[in-house]
Amino acid sequence: MTTLLINIKELIQVREHTIKKVSGKDMNVLPTIKNAFLLIENDRIIDFGVMDNLSISADKTIDCSGKMVLPTWCDSHTHIVYAGNREQEFVDRINGLSYEEIANNGGGILNSAKKLQQTSENDLYKQSSVRLEEVMKQGTGALEIKSGYGLTIDAELKMLRVIKKLRDNYDLPIKATFLGAHAFPTKYKNNKKGYINLIINEMLPKIAEENLAEFIDAFCETGYFSVEDTDRILSAGKKYGLTPKVHVNQFTTIGGVQVSVKHDALSVDHLEVMNTDDIETLKGSKTMPVALPSCSYFLSIPYTPARDIINAGLPLALATDFNPGSTPSGNMNFVVATACIKMKMTPEEAINAATINGAYAMNLSNEVGSITKGKKANFIITKEILSYGAIPYNFGSVLIDSVFINGKAI
Ligand code: NIG
Ligand code: FE
């Protein structure tokens, strides 16, 4: 089955297969073809070019006059498998409590863990699939999902099995990350070593045995997991073949970037607070810095210093962090707009960060993240727009006409 898209006003993010990520000044370059066609066969992109050179026909033709086509968003950091919500904490914050105070009073991650432990695997799957379908309609065509709201062996395995089921039942690439080190359960409040031993000696072997995760994460933060704890957990994960993707520098700079780079992390995520040593450490590494601007927006915390990162020649990816506590939104269009508005990224930089660099941060650059021959036919057709800058400029507007995953409109 072949499908031909014709009269595309602008085909965005056209790349050669060799490009796995873009860094520094290159982030401000977004290759496009005006007045283009795009040919797909089954689930793959097989050709594209300017309309003038079009000499092929297909089983089905879609006229895209006035509309643009770009690769679907690659959301490399989410926690969409969770139970219930934390609306009450949202209201508590409106009334003056801080995120930290709420967590210290037994709310926060432990609140979500309690709810998840009491929720059946089936119900958890149902709640999560609603969110997945929502973000797909918003243009997400590949995503990573973390565990970390279980915090017991059974509940962590339950979360990871739900992620696996989502992967089995939906057509988009989904990557699983084990985040047992998200918070210390109350039971281990005074026995932190005990919980880390449980992660290393009990959880990890079971997860590896069932092949439930590709990545390992830890919340490396003051009051959560120390640099030493993170070091131990990442080392243990590596023994089971898990690549690190790590929560660092959300509230404090304690050396999370350094320990992650030491372990060849695929990404370091959050980075709301960064010092010059953090930036120096990332230079020359393979680690992708990932910013989560919707989290900064929702919690009113600083935004990741994107300009400092990009001006230092580094790459940057953008992701949602979709979770019940700090970011109850999985809308990548909002992320792209907020990155431009609040982090002073150009539309070109933000679109690169949300596509090809997001793909890199999930080890998916070979499959998605750009319009490239041989890659998955996962793309967005926009409504009629004047320029692609409308995506961040008209923030809050729905500019998506349709979303294709594996060559099929969803
Ligand atoms: O990435 N910072 C750690 N974890 C999540 C939020 C956790 C929560 O509040 O539920 C995050 O922001
Ligand atoms: Fe997160």
Side-chain angles (χ1 to χ4, degrees):
M1 163 82 182
T2 52
T3 307
L4 182 63
L5 282 73
I6 57 167
N7 299 323
I8 301 167
K9 182 170 177 171
E10 199 162 355
L11 181 62
I12 298 161
Q13 186 65 305
V14 176
R15 298 271 180 190
E16 291 295 325
H17 232 300
T18 47
I19 304 294
K20 309 291 182 207
K21 61 174 174 180
V22 285
S23 310
K25 284 196 175 72
D26 293 340
M27 284 194 68
N28 203 23
V29 180
L30 186 65
T32 72
I33 301 174
K34 289 189 171 137
N35 193 24
F37 73 87
L38 176 69
L39 179 66
I40 62 179
E41 183 171 15
N42 302 323
D43 63 334
R44 298 282 151 179
I45 295 169
I46 57 166
D47 203 7
F48 53 79
V50 285
M51 281 301 289
D52 301 348
N53 298 343
L54 179 63
S55 59
I56 29 178
S57 59
D59 300 329
K60 190 180 165 195
T61 302
I62 302 171
D63 186 0
C64 296
S65 294
K67 301 170 180 176
M68 303 203 177
V69 171
L70 70 156
T72 45
W73 306 124
C74 296
D75 190 353
S76 65
H77 181 138
T78 86
H79 310 245
I80 70 161
V81 173
Y82 62 80
N85 66 30
R86 305 229 297 272
E87 245 172 65
Q88 184 53 49
E89 294 181 8
F90 170 58
V91 176
D92 291 343
R93 279 197 303 111
I94 292 169
N95 288 327
L97 282 182
S98 70
Y99 181 73
E100 199 187 359
E101 283 165 340
I102 291 166
N104 291 342
N105 294 340
I109 295 165
L110 296 184
N111 181 357
S112 286
K114 200 165 152 198
K115 288 194 173 103
L116 189 137
Q117 287 160 12
Q118 293 160 353
T119 303
S120 73
E121 193 170 314
N122 264 342
D123 191 11
L124 188 61
Y125 175 80
K126 268 192 214 145
Q127 294 185 36
S128 308
S129 62
V130 170
R131 285 186 282 269
L132 180 59
E133 287 179 23
E134 184 196 15
V135 302
M136 287 168 74
K137 287 191 190 112
Q138 291 168 338
T140 296
L143 84 167
E144 178 258 18
I145 311 174
K146 299 171 194 298
S147 72
Y149 289 120
L151 309 183
T152 63
I153 302 171
D154 286 350
E156 283 294 309
L157 288 171
K158 176 164 69 183
M159 281 190 88
L160 289 164
R161 286 184 192 127
V162 167
I163 299 172
K164 184 174 184 300
K165 211 164 165 194
L166 291 170
R167 188 190 309 125
D168 291 345
N169 292 346
Y170 289 87
D171 274 343
L172 76 173
I174 295 176
K175 295 282 182 129
T177 300
F178 171 51
L179 175 58
H182 199 189
F184 287 98
T186 314
K187 201 173 130 186
Y188 291 93
K189 207 170 147 194
N190 300 315
N191 177 20
K192 293 190 167 180
K193 248 203 182 116
Y195 184 60
I196 294 169
N197 287 339
L198 185 78
I199 291 174
I200 294 175
N201 301 328
E202 314 265 347
M203 294 185 189
L204 265 173
K206 289 216 170 68
I207 289 160
E209 192 185 302
E210 288 189 43
N211 205 3
L212 288 173
E214 175 174 337
F215 304 122
I216 184 154
D217 194 350
F219 187 15
C220 184
E221 184 57 63
T222 307
Y224 291 83
F225 293 81
S226 69
V227 169
E228 293 70 33
D229 299 339
T230 305
D231 196 21
R232 264 193 81 198
I233 291 159
L234 300 187
S235 299
K238 214 167 247 183
K239 288 198 188 112
Y240 292 98
L242 304 188
T243 303
K245 274 171 73 64
V246 195
H247 280 76
V248 300
N249 293 41
Q250 183 176 4
F251 302 108
T252 53
T253 44
I254 57 170
V257 171
Q258 289 70 15
V259 71
S260 303
V261 168
K262 181 182 122 184
H263 286 281
D264 290 319
L266 182 60
S267 71
V268 281
D269 305 35
H270 272 289
L271 306 171
E272 287 87 341
V273 290
M274 276 187 106
N275 60 31
T276 47
D277 185 50
D278 295 327
I279 292 192
E280 284 309 310
T281 302
L282 285 165
K283 285 185 188 168
S285 77
K286 289 188 188 138
T287 306
M288 176 66 71
V290 180
L292 311 165
S294 299
C295 175
S296 300
Y297 176 84
F298 191 70
L299 292 186
S300 300
I301 61 174
Y303 287 85
T304 301
R307 287 269 51 95
D308 294 345
I309 293 171
I310 297 170
N311 293 347
L314 293 171
L316 183 65
L318 288 167
T320 63
D321 198 18
F322 197 171
N323 75 73
S326 73
T327 323
S329 160
N331 190 336
M332 282 293 285
N333 308 282
F334 180 79
V335 164
V336 167
T338 307
C340 294
I341 296 160
K342 294 293 185 185
M343 294 158 64
K344 302 283 175 246
M345 290 173 74
T346 64
E348 290 78 11
E349 288 171 337
I351 293 171
N352 275 318
T355 55
I356 189 74
N357 284 359
Y360 178 94
M362 292 185 272
N363 243 338
L364 280 172
S365 286
N366 285 332
E367 283 289 285
V368 289
S370 62
I371 302 296
T372 301
K373 285 176 200 171
K375 280 197 183 181
K376 272 188 182 293
N378 290 11
F379 55 85
I380 295 168
I381 304 179
T382 70
K383 290 183 177 162
E384 292 190 22
I385 53 176
L386 289 177
S387 63
Y388 59 70
I391 297 168
Y393 172 72
N394 293 112
F395 76 97
S397 289
V398 179
L399 299 179
I400 295 178
D401 172 295
S402 49
V403 178
F404 281 68
I405 303 283
N406 275 359
K408 285 188 287 231
I410 59 159

PDB file of all heavy atoms in Angstrom, residues 296-329:
ATOM      1  N   SER A 296       8.653  23.335  34.557  1.00  0.00           N
ATOM      2  CA  SER A 296       8.999  24.657  35.094  1.00  0.00           C
ATOM      3  C   SER A 296       7.761  25.540  35.146  1.00  0.00           C
ATOM      4  O   SER A 296       7.537  26.265  36.126  1.00  0.00           O
ATOM      5  CB  SER A 296      10.062  25.323  34.211  1.00  0.00           C
ATOM      6  OG  SER A 296      11.226  24.535  34.179  1.00  0.00           O
ATOM      7  N   TYR A 297       6.951  25.457  34.101  1.00  0.00           N
ATOM      8  CA  TYR A 297       5.728  26.259  34.019  1.00  0.00           C
ATOM      9  C   TYR A 297       4.769  25.898  35.158  1.00  0.00           C
ATOM     10  O   TYR A 297       4.286  26.764  35.880  1.00  0.00           O
ATOM     11  CB  TYR A 297       5.073  26.001  32.654  1.00  0.00           C
ATOM     12  CG  TYR A 297       3.755  26.670  32.432  1.00  0.00           C
ATOM     13  CD1 TYR A 297       3.686  27.995  31.999  1.00  0.00           C
ATOM     14  CD2 TYR A 297       2.564  25.984  32.645  1.00  0.00           C
ATOM     15  CE1 TYR A 297       2.457  28.609  31.793  1.00  0.00           C
ATOM     16  CE2 TYR A 297       1.340  26.597  32.438  1.00  0.00           C
ATOM     17  CZ  TYR A 297       1.284  27.910  32.014  1.00  0.00           C
ATOM     18  OH  TYR A 297       0.076  28.510  31.810  1.00  0.00           O
ATOM     19  N   PHE A 298       4.540  24.597  35.317  1.00  0.00           N
ATOM     20  CA  PHE A 298       3.525  24.150  36.282  1.00  0.00           C
ATOM     21  C   PHE A 298       3.956  24.385  37.729  1.00  0.00           C
ATOM     22  O   PHE A 298       3.140  24.697  38.587  1.00  0.00           O
ATOM     23  CB  PHE A 298       3.228  22.658  36.055  1.00  0.00           C
ATOM     24  CG  PHE A 298       2.024  22.150  36.800  1.00  0.00           C
ATOM     25  CD1 PHE A 298       0.744  22.550  36.439  1.00  0.00           C
ATOM     26  CD2 PHE A 298       2.168  21.255  37.856  1.00  0.00           C
ATOM     27  CE1 PHE A 298      -0.378  22.075  37.129  1.00  0.00           C
ATOM     28  CE2 PHE A 298       1.054  20.775  38.551  1.00  0.00           C
ATOM     29  CZ  PHE A 298      -0.217  21.190  38.181  1.00  0.00           C
ATOM     30  N   LEU A 299       5.272  24.220  37.994  1.00  0.00           N
ATOM     31  CA  LEU A 299       5.761  24.383  39.373  1.00  0.00           C
ATOM     32  C   LEU A 299       6.288  25.792  39.651  1.00  0.00           C
ATOM     33  O   LEU A 299       6.696  26.087  40.771  1.00  0.00           O
ATOM     34  CB  LEU A 299       6.888  23.378  39.671  1.00  0.00           C
ATOM     35  CG  LEU A 299       6.542  21.888  39.734  1.00  0.00           C
ATOM     36  CD1 LEU A 299       7.760  21.089  40.194  1.00  0.00           C
ATOM     37  CD2 LEU A 299       5.358  21.606  40.656  1.00  0.00           C
ATOM     38  N   SER A 300       6.318  26.638  38.633  1.00  0.00           N
ATOM     39  CA  SER A 300       6.921  27.978  38.781  1.00  0.00           C
ATOM     40  C   SER A 300       8.346  27.882  39.325  1.00  0.00           C
ATOM     41  O   SER A 300       8.704  28.551  40.296  1.00  0.00           O
ATOM     42  CB  SER A 300       6.070  28.870  39.686  1.00  0.00           C
ATOM     43  OG  SER A 300       4.793  29.016  39.151  1.00  0.00           O
ATOM     44  N   ILE A 301       9.142  27.043  38.693  1.00  0.00           N
ATOM     45  CA  ILE A 301      10.568  26.939  39.028  1.00  0.00           C
ATOM     46  C   ILE A 301      11.357  27.443  37.813  1.00  0.00           C
ATOM     47  O   ILE A 301      10.773  27.634  36.746  1.00  0.00           O
ATOM     48  CB  ILE A 301      10.985  25.495  39.437  1.00  0.00           C
ATOM     49  CG1 ILE A 301      10.746  24.495  38.290  1.00  0.00           C
ATOM     50  CG2 ILE A 301      10.256  25.069  40.706  1.00  0.00           C
ATOM     51  CD1 ILE A 301      11.263  23.077  38.568  1.00  0.00           C
ATOM     52  N   PRO A 302      12.675  27.678  37.941  1.00  0.00           N
ATOM     53  CA  PRO A 302      13.422  28.203  36.796  1.00  0.00           C
ATOM     54  C   PRO A 302      13.340  27.286  35.575  1.00  0.00           C
ATOM     55  O   PRO A 302      13.133  26.077  35.703  1.00  0.00           O
ATOM     56  CB  PRO A 302      14.867  28.255  37.311  1.00  0.00           C
ATOM     57  CG  PRO A 302      14.752  28.306  38.788  1.00  0.00           C
ATOM     58  CD  PRO A 302      13.521  27.509  39.131  1.00  0.00           C
ATOM     59  N   TYR A 303      13.497  27.890  34.412  1.00  0.00           N
ATOM     60  CA  TYR A 303      13.572  27.134  33.163  1.00  0.00           C
ATOM     61  C   TYR A 303      15.023  26.727  32.913  1.00  0.00           C
ATOM     62  O   TYR A 303      15.956  27.446  33.289  1.00  0.00           O
ATOM     63  CB  TYR A 303      13.070  27.986  31.988  1.00  0.00           C
ATOM     64  CG  TYR A 303      11.568  28.148  32.004  1.00  0.00           C
ATOM     65  CD1 TYR A 303      10.969  29.152  32.764  1.00  0.00           C
ATOM     66  CD2 TYR A 303      10.750  27.282  31.292  1.00  0.00           C
ATOM     67  CE1 TYR A 303       9.584  29.290  32.803  1.00  0.00           C
ATOM     68  CE2 TYR A 303       9.372  27.408  31.329  1.00  0.00           C
ATOM     69  CZ  TYR A 303       8.789  28.419  32.087  1.00  0.00           C
ATOM     70  OH  TYR A 303       7.425  28.542  32.133  1.00  0.00           O
ATOM     71  N   THR A 304      15.225  25.586  32.300  1.00  0.00           N
ATOM     72  CA  THR A 304      16.558  25.122  31.906  1.00  0.00           C
ATOM     73  C   THR A 304      17.247  26.196  31.057  1.00  0.00           C
ATOM     74  O   THR A 304      16.629  26.723  30.123  1.00  0.00           O
ATOM     75  CB  THR A 304      16.411  23.816  31.091  1.00  0.00           C
ATOM     76  OG1 THR A 304      15.744  22.872  31.917  1.00  0.00           O
ATOM     77  CG2 THR A 304      17.757  23.262  30.660  1.00  0.00           C
ATOM     78  N   PRO A 305      18.499  26.540  31.368  1.00  0.00           N
ATOM     79  CA  PRO A 305      19.190  27.601  30.611  1.00  0.00           C
ATOM     80  C   PRO A 305      19.583  27.140  29.211  1.00  0.00           C
ATOM     81  O   PRO A 305      20.753  26.852  28.925  1.00  0.00           O
ATOM     82  CB  PRO A 305      20.413  27.905  31.485  1.00  0.00           C
ATOM     83  CG  PRO A 305      20.674  26.644  32.234  1.00  0.00           C
ATOM     84  CD  PRO A 305      19.335  26.002  32.455  1.00  0.00           C
ATOM     85  N   ALA A 306      18.592  27.105  28.334  1.00  0.00           N
ATOM     86  CA  ALA A 306      18.793  26.574  26.974  1.00  0.00           C
ATOM     87  C   ALA A 306      19.871  27.363  26.227  1.00  0.00           C
ATOM     88  O   ALA A 306      20.694  26.771  25.521  1.00  0.00           O
ATOM     89  CB  ALA A 306      17.479  26.623  26.200  1.00  0.00           C
ATOM     90  N   ARG A 307      19.861  28.686  26.375  1.00  0.00           N
ATOM     91  CA  ARG A 307      20.836  29.498  25.619  1.00  0.00           C
ATOM     92  C   ARG A 307      22.263  29.141  26.031  1.00  0.00           C
ATOM     93  O   ARG A 307      23.146  29.016  25.190  1.00  0.00           O
ATOM     94  CB  ARG A 307      20.596  31.003  25.813  1.00  0.00           C
ATOM     95  CG  ARG A 307      19.380  31.510  25.077  1.00  0.00           C
ATOM     96  CD  ARG A 307      19.678  32.014  23.639  1.00  0.00           C
ATOM     97  NE  ARG A 307      20.420  31.163  22.758  1.00  0.00           N
ATOM     98  CZ  ARG A 307      19.895  30.313  21.864  1.00  0.00           C
ATOM     99  NH1 ARG A 307      18.606  30.205  21.736  1.00  0.00           N
ATOM    100  NH2 ARG A 307      20.659  29.576  21.100  1.00  0.00           N
ATOM    101  N   ASP A 308      22.488  28.989  27.329  1.00  0.00           N
ATOM    102  CA  ASP A 308      23.841  28.639  27.796  1.00  0.00           C
ATOM    103  C   ASP A 308      24.258  27.286  27.229  1.00  0.00           C
ATOM    104  O   ASP A 308      25.410  27.085  26.848  1.00  0.00           O
ATOM    105  CB  ASP A 308      23.897  28.569  29.331  1.00  0.00           C
ATOM    106  CG  ASP A 308      23.664  29.934  29.971  1.00  0.00           C
ATOM    107  OD1 ASP A 308      23.756  30.947  29.244  1.00  0.00           O
ATOM    108  OD2 ASP A 308      23.381  29.978  31.187  1.00  0.00           O
ATOM    109  N   ILE A 309      23.322  26.349  27.197  1.00  0.00           N
ATOM    110  CA  ILE A 309      23.617  24.989  26.724  1.00  0.00           C
ATOM    111  C   ILE A 309      23.927  25.015  25.223  1.00  0.00           C
ATOM    112  O   ILE A 309      24.951  24.502  24.769  1.00  0.00           O
ATOM    113  CB  ILE A 309      22.428  24.048  27.045  1.00  0.00           C
ATOM    114  CG1 ILE A 309      22.288  23.879  28.572  1.00  0.00           C
ATOM    115  CG2 ILE A 309      22.592  22.689  26.361  1.00  0.00           C
ATOM    116  CD1 ILE A 309      21.028  23.164  29.023  1.00  0.00           C
ATOM    117  N   ILE A 310      23.058  25.640  24.445  1.00  0.00           N
ATOM    118  CA  ILE A 310      23.241  25.657  22.990  1.00  0.00           C
ATOM    119  C   ILE A 310      24.450  26.516  22.609  1.00  0.00           C
ATOM    120  O   ILE A 310      25.247  26.128  21.752  1.00  0.00           O
ATOM    121  CB  ILE A 310      21.949  26.137  22.283  1.00  0.00           C
ATOM    122  CG1 ILE A 310      20.805  25.146  22.555  1.00  0.00           C
ATOM    123  CG2 ILE A 310      22.171  26.300  20.780  1.00  0.00           C
ATOM    124  CD1 ILE A 310      19.433  25.632  22.109  1.00  0.00           C
ATOM    125  N   ASN A 311      24.610  27.660  23.271  1.00  0.00           N
ATOM    126  CA  ASN A 311      25.756  28.525  22.946  1.00  0.00           C
ATOM    127  C   ASN A 311      27.093  27.855  23.282  1.00  0.00           C
ATOM    128  O   ASN A 311      28.132  28.215  22.736  1.00  0.00           O
ATOM    129  CB  ASN A 311      25.644  29.878  23.658  1.00  0.00           C
ATOM    130  CG  ASN A 311      24.471  30.701  23.116  1.00  0.00           C
ATOM    131  OD1 ASN A 311      23.896  30.374  22.077  1.00  0.00           O
ATOM    132  ND2 ASN A 311      24.106  31.760  23.828  1.00  0.00           N
ATOM    133  N   ALA A 312      27.066  26.868  24.179  1.00  0.00           N
ATOM    134  CA  ALA A 312      28.291  26.123  24.508  1.00  0.00           C
ATOM    135  C   ALA A 312      28.568  25.038  23.463  1.00  0.00           C
ATOM    136  O   ALA A 312      29.511  24.258  23.599  1.00  0.00           O
ATOM    137  CB  ALA A 312      28.157  25.496  25.897  1.00  0.00           C
ATOM    138  N   GLY A 313      27.718  24.964  22.436  1.00  0.00           N
ATOM    139  CA  GLY A 313      27.940  23.976  21.369  1.00  0.00           C
ATOM    140  C   GLY A 313      27.275  22.641  21.642  1.00  0.00           C
ATOM    141  O   GLY A 313      27.462  21.676  20.885  1.00  0.00           O
ATOM    142  N   LEU A 314      26.491  22.573  22.710  1.00  0.00           N
ATOM    143  CA  LEU A 314      25.859  21.292  23.084  1.00  0.00           C
ATOM    144  C   LEU A 314      24.523  21.102  22.375  1.00  0.00           C
ATOM    145  O   LEU A 314      23.903  22.071  21.932  1.00  0.00           O
ATOM    146  CB  LEU A 314      25.626  21.269  24.602  1.00  0.00           C
ATOM    147  CG  LEU A 314      26.867  21.243  25.481  1.00  0.00           C
ATOM    148  CD1 LEU A 314      26.489  21.457  26.944  1.00  0.00           C
ATOM    149  CD2 LEU A 314      27.613  19.917  25.322  1.00  0.00           C
ATOM    150  N   PRO A 315      24.048  19.851  22.297  1.00  0.00           N
ATOM    151  CA  PRO A 315      22.687  19.609  21.800  1.00  0.00           C
ATOM    152  C   PRO A 315      21.696  19.837  22.951  1.00  0.00           C
ATOM    153  O   PRO A 315      22.101  19.928  24.115  1.00  0.00           O
ATOM    154  CB  PRO A 315      22.731  18.136  21.415  1.00  0.00           C
ATOM    155  CG  PRO A 315      23.713  17.530  22.365  1.00  0.00           C
ATOM    156  CD  PRO A 315      24.730  18.596  22.690  1.00  0.00           C
ATOM    157  N   LEU A 316      20.430  19.898  22.631  1.00  0.00           N
ATOM    158  CA  LEU A 316      19.387  19.973  23.663  1.00  0.00           C
ATOM    159  C   LEU A 316      18.132  19.296  23.106  1.00  0.00           C
ATOM    160  O   LEU A 316      17.791  19.498  21.944  1.00  0.00           O
ATOM    161  CB  LEU A 316      19.088  21.432  24.029  1.00  0.00           C
ATOM    162  CG  LEU A 316      18.060  21.656  25.148  1.00  0.00           C
ATOM    163  CD1 LEU A 316      18.547  21.116  26.487  1.00  0.00           C
ATOM    164  CD2 LEU A 316      17.737  23.155  25.301  1.00  0.00           C
ATOM    165  N   ALA A 317      17.494  18.493  23.944  1.00  0.00           N
ATOM    166  CA  ALA A 317      16.203  17.895  23.568  1.00  0.00           C
ATOM    167  C   ALA A 317      15.118  18.482  24.462  1.00  0.00           C
ATOM    168  O   ALA A 317      15.406  18.968  25.568  1.00  0.00           O
ATOM    169  CB  ALA A 317      16.251  16.372  23.718  1.00  0.00           C
ATOM    170  N   LEU A 318      13.887  18.428  23.982  1.00  0.00           N
ATOM    171  CA  LEU A 318      12.732  18.890  24.753  1.00  0.00           C
ATOM    172  C   LEU A 318      11.778  17.716  24.955  1.00  0.00           C
ATOM    173  O   LEU A 318      11.544  16.942  24.027  1.00  0.00           O
ATOM    174  CB  LEU A 318      11.977  19.987  23.991  1.00  0.00           C
ATOM    175  CG  LEU A 318      12.639  21.355  23.883  1.00  0.00           C
ATOM    176  CD1 LEU A 318      11.917  22.196  22.830  1.00  0.00           C
ATOM    177  CD2 LEU A 318      12.635  22.076  25.229  1.00  0.00           C
ATOM    178  N   ALA A 319      11.236  17.598  26.164  1.00  0.00           N
ATOM    179  CA  ALA A 319      10.271  16.532  26.450  1.00  0.00           C
ATOM    180  C   ALA A 319       9.213  17.074  27.399  1.00  0.00           C
ATOM    181  O   ALA A 319       9.354  18.193  27.919  1.00  0.00           O
ATOM    182  CB  ALA A 319      10.989  15.324  27.050  1.00  0.00           C
ATOM    183  N   THR A 320       8.148  16.273  27.643  1.00  0.00           N
ATOM    184  CA  THR A 320       7.052  16.809  28.469  1.00  0.00           C
ATOM    185  C   THR A 320       7.228  16.583  29.968  1.00  0.00           C
ATOM    186  O   THR A 320       6.841  17.413  30.771  1.00  0.00           O
ATOM    187  CB  THR A 320       5.696  16.180  28.091  1.00  0.00           C
ATOM    188  OG1 THR A 320       5.743  14.770  28.349  1.00  0.00           O
ATOM    189  CG2 THR A 320       5.324  16.483  26.648  1.00  0.00           C
ATOM    190  N   ASP A 321       7.727  15.397  30.358  1.00  0.00           N
ATOM    191  CA  ASP A 321       7.738  14.981  31.775  1.00  0.00           C
ATOM    192  C   ASP A 321       6.325  14.631  32.264  1.00  0.00           C
ATOM    193  O   ASP A 321       6.096  14.587  33.473  1.00  0.00           O
ATOM    194  CB  ASP A 321       8.349  16.070  32.673  1.00  0.00           C
ATOM    195  CG  ASP A 321       8.782  15.538  34.034  1.00  0.00           C
ATOM    196  OD1 ASP A 321       8.930  14.312  34.171  1.00  0.00           O
ATOM    197  OD2 ASP A 321       8.969  16.349  34.969  1.00  0.00           O
ATOM    198  N   PHE A 322       5.375  14.388  31.381  1.00  0.00           N
ATOM    199  CA  PHE A 322       3.976  14.102  31.743  1.00  0.00           C
ATOM    200  C   PHE A 322       3.915  13.221  32.999  1.00  0.00           C
ATOM    201  O   PHE A 322       4.334  12.074  32.991  1.00  0.00           O
ATOM    202  CB  PHE A 322       3.303  13.393  30.560  1.00  0.00           C
ATOM    203  CG  PHE A 322       1.796  13.383  30.585  1.00  0.00           C
ATOM    204  CD1 PHE A 322       1.087  12.934  29.467  1.00  0.00           C
ATOM    205  CD2 PHE A 322       1.068  13.815  31.686  1.00  0.00           C
ATOM    206  CE1 PHE A 322      -0.311  12.914  29.452  1.00  0.00           C
ATOM    207  CE2 PHE A 322      -0.321  13.806  31.687  1.00  0.00           C
ATOM    208  CZ  PHE A 322      -1.016  13.345  30.574  1.00  0.00           C
ATOM    209  N   ASN A 323       3.408  13.763  34.095  1.00  0.00           N
ATOM    210  CA  ASN A 323       3.273  13.028  35.358  1.00  0.00           C
ATOM    211  C   ASN A 323       2.234  13.736  36.229  1.00  0.00           C
ATOM    212  O   ASN A 323       1.889  14.884  35.967  1.00  0.00           O
ATOM    213  CB  ASN A 323       4.638  12.923  36.063  1.00  0.00           C
ATOM    214  CG  ASN A 323       5.061  14.227  36.717  1.00  0.00           C
ATOM    215  OD1 ASN A 323       4.519  14.623  37.748  1.00  0.00           O
ATOM    216  ND2 ASN A 323       6.002  14.934  36.099  1.00  0.00           N
ATOM    217  N   PRO A 324       1.726  13.048  37.269  1.00  0.00           N
ATOM    218  CA  PRO A 324       0.618  13.646  38.025  1.00  0.00           C
ATOM    219  C   PRO A 324       1.021  14.788  38.964  1.00  0.00           C
ATOM    220  O   PRO A 324       0.157  15.565  39.384  1.00  0.00           O
ATOM    221  CB  PRO A 324       0.095  12.462  38.855  1.00  0.00           C
ATOM    222  CG  PRO A 324       1.280  11.562  39.004  1.00  0.00           C
ATOM    223  CD  PRO A 324       2.048  11.682  37.720  1.00  0.00           C
ATOM    224  N   GLY A 325       2.325  14.889  39.292  1.00  0.00           N
ATOM    225  CA  GLY A 325       2.724  15.863  40.308  1.00  0.00           C
ATOM    226  C   GLY A 325       3.259  17.170  39.767  1.00  0.00           C
ATOM    227  O   GLY A 325       2.796  18.254  40.126  1.00  0.00           O
ATOM    228  N   SER A 326       4.239  17.067  38.874  1.00  0.00           N
ATOM    229  CA  SER A 326       4.920  18.298  38.443  1.00  0.00           C
ATOM    230  C   SER A 326       4.529  18.733  37.039  1.00  0.00           C
ATOM    231  O   SER A 326       4.845  19.861  36.648  1.00  0.00           O
ATOM    232  CB  SER A 326       6.443  18.105  38.508  1.00  0.00           C
ATOM    233  OG  SER A 326       6.905  17.266  37.476  1.00  0.00           O
ATOM    234  N   THR A 327       3.860  17.866  36.276  1.00  0.00           N
ATOM    235  CA  THR A 327       3.545  18.202  34.878  1.00  0.00           C
ATOM    236  C   THR A 327       2.363  17.373  34.352  1.00  0.00           C
ATOM    237  O   THR A 327       2.555  16.443  33.574  1.00  0.00           O
ATOM    238  CB  THR A 327       4.764  17.889  33.953  1.00  0.00           C
ATOM    239  OG1 THR A 327       5.974  18.198  34.620  1.00  0.00           O
ATOM    240  CG2 THR A 327       4.666  18.657  32.642  1.00  0.00           C
ATOM    241  N   PRO A 328       1.156  17.700  34.762  1.00  0.00           N
ATOM    242  CA  PRO A 328       0.040  16.877  34.278  1.00  0.00           C
ATOM    243  C   PRO A 328      -0.386  17.234  32.846  1.00  0.00           C
ATOM    244  O   PRO A 328      -1.563  17.473  32.568  1.00  0.00           O
ATOM    245  CB  PRO A 328      -1.067  17.154  35.297  1.00  0.00           C
ATOM    246  CG  PRO A 328      -0.656  18.375  36.016  1.00  0.00           C
ATOM    247  CD  PRO A 328       0.763  18.682  35.746  1.00  0.00           C
ATOM    248  N   SER A 329       0.585  17.260  31.938  1.00  0.00           N
ATOM    249  CA  SER A 329       0.309  17.571  30.535  1.00  0.00           C
ATOM    250  C   SER A 329       1.330  16.865  29.664  1.00  0.00           C
ATOM    251  O   SER A 329       2.521  16.874  29.959  1.00  0.00           O
ATOM    252  CB  SER A 329       0.414  19.087  30.316  1.00  0.00           C
ATOM    253  OG  SER A 329       0.613  19.367  28.939  1.00  0.00           O
TER     254      SER A 329
END
